[in-house]
Amino acid sequence: MSSTAGLRERKKTETRQAVHEAALRLTLEHGFDNVTVEAIADAANISRRTFSNYFAGKEDALLYGDEQNLRGLVQRVRDQPVGRTAWQALCGALDSHHAEIGDADRDLHLRTRLALQHPSLLARQLAGRHRLESELSHALAEREQPSGTSPEVITAVFLAALRVATQWWCAENETRTLRDLTDRALDQIVHAFG
């Protein structure tokens, strides 16, 4: 029974990834405003109804990679050694993430640039990050915090640094690595408030 459930979950993940890739490819080829849910479903070789089982709209399909990155970050924070402070756990989780994906995440660059160009996509991206911000704060709640600082504040500051670094990365057209720019943003926070 558990192997059937595992296979089912793997197939769902593969379908979500295929839909996401189709949405990104079509958006790059035709422009965000010219891509329909039907076109994405056709490109992913699924029905419109199946699309709706996985995503609420084309924005969600396009931003699926962002959601996966943030969910992965939450899990990596939970996996950090018990003795680490909240900030150390966040930085350790980010190091683990960068070690896994390497220096370039071309899809992240493309999704970010698209979100900055399309208000509906940016709004959806921010809403998704807001939902996951709560999960990240909960993952930090059991860890040592600087005196009087809530996990929500630590999470917000950390995610703001990631957002700013990603914007720098896009504005510079990837002349430096995202990891270098993220380290720069996080260092500025530590120097300003540490």
Side-chain angles (χ1 to χ4, degrees):
M1 181 83 120
S2 64
S3 65
T4 304
L7 177 62
R8 189 177 305 123
E9 286 307 310
R10 190 171 69 240
K11 293 292 280 176
K12 286 180 180 180
T13 299
E14 289 170 359
T15 299
R16 282 186 187 94
Q17 186 63 33
V19 173
H20 165 65
E21 290 171 5
L24 187 58
R25 182 175 37 76
L26 290 173
T27 298
L28 294 173
E29 290 172 4
H30 304 289
F32 178 71
D33 294 328
N34 298 320
V35 174
T36 64
V37 167
E38 289 76 13
I40 295 169
D42 288 345
N45 201 28
I46 60 172
S47 69
R48 171 67 172 87
R49 182 179 174 147
T50 300
F51 179 99
S52 296
N53 290 336
Y54 289 95
F55 297 106
K58 66 181 183 178
E59 293 86 356
D60 291 337
L62 191 59
L63 296 172
Y64 175 69
D66 286 0
E67 179 182 330
Q68 290 305 102
N69 282 343
L70 290 173
R71 286 193 188 283
L73 183 62
V74 170
Q75 186 57 51
R76 285 181 175 90
V77 166
R78 289 185 178 124
D79 293 343
Q80 291 297 299
V82 175
R84 290 192 173 176
T85 66
W87 190 258
Q88 290 169 335
L90 287 167
C91 292
L94 187 61
D95 286 344
S96 172
H97 174 76
H98 283 298
E100 183 179 313
I101 66 160
D103 286 334
D105 184 348
R106 186 76 182 134
D107 286 353
L108 172 62
H109 185 262
L110 296 171
R111 288 189 308 267
T112 301
R113 290 184 72 87
L114 287 167
L116 293 172
Q117 296 167 0
H118 298 280
S120 68
L121 197 53
L122 182 59
R124 194 59 148 207
Q125 186 182 56
L126 293 174
R129 288 181 181 180
H130 178 73
R131 282 191 311 272
L132 291 172
E133 186 173 327
S134 175
E135 289 181 38
L136 197 52
S137 295
H138 288 303
L140 295 176
E142 299 299 317
R143 296 188 178 269
E144 179 185 336
Q145 317 289 332
S147 180
T149 307
S150 72
E152 293 83 7
V153 169
I154 294 169
T155 299
V157 169
F158 183 80
L159 292 178
L162 296 185
R163 182 180 48 78
V164 168
T166 305
Q167 289 173 345
W168 288 341
W169 186 51
C170 289
E172 290 184 1
N173 215 9
E174 300 178 79
T175 57
R176 289 185 277 179
T177 67
L178 179 57
R179 184 175 191 152
D180 289 342
L181 293 168
T182 302
D183 288 346
R184 178 179 167 212
L186 292 171
D187 286 346
Q188 288 181 18
I189 290 170
V190 169
H191 291 316
F193 303 105

